[in-house]
Amino acid sequence: MRTVLTDLLSEAVSLLKKSRKTIALTGAGVSTESGIPDFRSKGGLWSRFDPMEYGTLGAFKRDPGKVWQMLTELVSIIDAEPNIGHLSMAEMEKAGFLAGIITQNIDSLHQKAGSKNVVEFHGSLDSFTCLYCDSSYPLAAVSQQDMLPTCTQCQALLKPDIVFFDEQIPPAAFSQTYDLIHGADLLIVAGTSCQVVPAATIPSTVQAQGGKIIEINLEPVFRGGEAIVLQGKFSEIMEQLQAVLLL
Ligand code: CNA
């Protein structure tokens, strides 16, 4: 007898096989198994750092040292490696089952895993820009400095190229996202609590054009008939999906 999860996996695989264009929306939960804490899970960053005190550009400019206490935990991503879930998504893209990924993550692990078409909706921690003269620095150069990295040209503060809560989504990320959404009839929503707008509106945009949703999460956001909900660890579920899909 098949388990419920196995039935749902088969349903998901059949949707993936039928789909003309599948895309993915990923969040911090896809990288927890690579050792990077997410925001909202138990023990996540927001249980220790208040988002409004640590997650805004205003806070960063007011008290950069304080915001760096939180950023330091994320800078550890320089050593993080993609997990089997990231690798499976890259394989799905290579095999033609995934047109691209819109990620809210700033850790570049999808690209490290080999995914080619990745939109970084909230920017990336891979580089830093001087708040005064706009000089750009790679993360490797910055992480060798102490906390509060400064520009070697003008000594002003460096800001990571991530999108804080009070900043706009970079226009290029927006247009790439809407290019990807165009014509998508299936969206995999993985490891996100879907609480941060405008990224959180992507599932309903895809649904509004007749698209279906497959959700992968430890504690799913979509319930009932709105989505195929694969509840569990991203890496385990993606590995199973990929195995059946790429038989
Ligand atoms: P979130 O609000 O912390 O939600 C994470 C979701 O993932 C939750 O629903 C969890 O249940 C789920 N989850 C956790 N672990 C797993 C797992 N192993 N398998 C499946 N599901 C899991 O994070 P969101 O991405 O929704 O919020 C968007 C923020 C988080 C963006 O601005 C990111 O920049 C930011 N962020 C990114 C990183 C990163 O780049 N790795 C880390 C922390 C925060």
Side-chain angles (χ1 to χ4, degrees):
M1 202 174 95
R2 293 192 306 171
T3 66
V4 175
L5 183 60
T6 311
D7 288 342
L8 290 170
L9 274 168
S10 317
E11 229 179 289
V13 167
S14 111
L15 275 186
L16 282 158
K17 285 185 171 162
K18 273 193 267 173
S19 161
R20 278 170 286 110
K21 182 179 183 185
T22 301
I23 60 173
L25 169 67
T26 64
V30 306
S31 297
T32 52
E33 293 168 83
S34 294
I36 305 174
D38 65 6
F39 275 165
R40 292 179 182 78
S41 290
K42 203 164 166 239
L45 289 174
W46 289 159
S47 64
R48 288 172 289 136
F49 301 101
D50 179 84
M52 287 306 121
E53 274 183 52
Y54 290 87
T56 67
L57 181 60
F60 184 67
K61 286 182 171 166
R62 247 187 335 271
D63 192 347
K66 183 171 171 177
V67 173
W68 259 102
Q69 289 169 24
M70 188 259 301
L71 290 177
T72 306
E73 297 210 16
L74 288 175
V75 168
S76 63
I77 63 172
I78 197 166
D79 299 320
E81 290 298 330
N83 60 55
I84 189 86
H86 294 106
L87 296 168
S88 299
M89 278 200 163
E91 287 303 316
M92 276 176 61
E93 181 186 11
K94 216 188 298 172
F97 286 107
L98 191 62
I101 300 170
I102 303 153
T103 188
Q104 298 165 87
N105 292 347
I106 52 176
D107 56 25
S108 308
L109 288 185
H110 285 301
Q111 294 93 322
K112 254 192 181 173
S115 289
K116 300 288 179 223
N117 196 8
V118 181
V119 181
E120 291 178 316
F121 203 69
H122 291 161
S124 162
L125 251 188
D126 256 359
S127 57
F128 285 65
T129 302
C130 173
L131 282 175
Y132 183 72
C133 73
D134 273 351
S135 296
S136 180
Y137 295 83
L139 172 60
V142 165
S143 60
Q144 283 159 15
Q145 298 188 22
D146 289 335
M147 261 165 56
L148 277 188
T150 50
C151 178
T152 53
Q153 311 289 317
C154 70
Q155 277 67 58
L157 192 64
L158 298 184
K159 175 196 170 292
D161 292 338
I162 59 175
V163 179
F164 281 110
F165 281 119
D166 50 353
E167 291 188 286
Q168 299 292 321
I169 304 300
F174 240 122
S175 63
Q176 288 162 12
T177 293
Y178 282 93
D179 284 350
L180 257 187
I181 289 176
H182 183 74
D185 55 14
L186 185 58
L187 173 70
I188 301 172
V189 181
T192 172
S193 61
C194 277
Q195 287 190 33
V196 180
V197 285
T201 63
I202 292 172
S204 54
T205 307
V206 172
Q207 283 176 319
Q209 64 191 25
K212 296 200 159 46
I213 308 277
I214 295 172
E215 182 181 21
I216 302 171
N217 201 312
L218 295 173
E219 293 164 13
V221 175
F222 299 96
R223 304 230 175 236
E226 288 175 14
I228 295 183
V229 176
L230 304 175
Q231 183 160 8
K233 287 186 179 171
F234 173 67
S235 61
E236 289 174 5
I237 289 177
M238 279 307 302
E239 189 177 23
Q240 292 179 62
L241 265 185
Q242 186 214 340
V244 184
L245 199 58
L246 305 185
L247 265 181

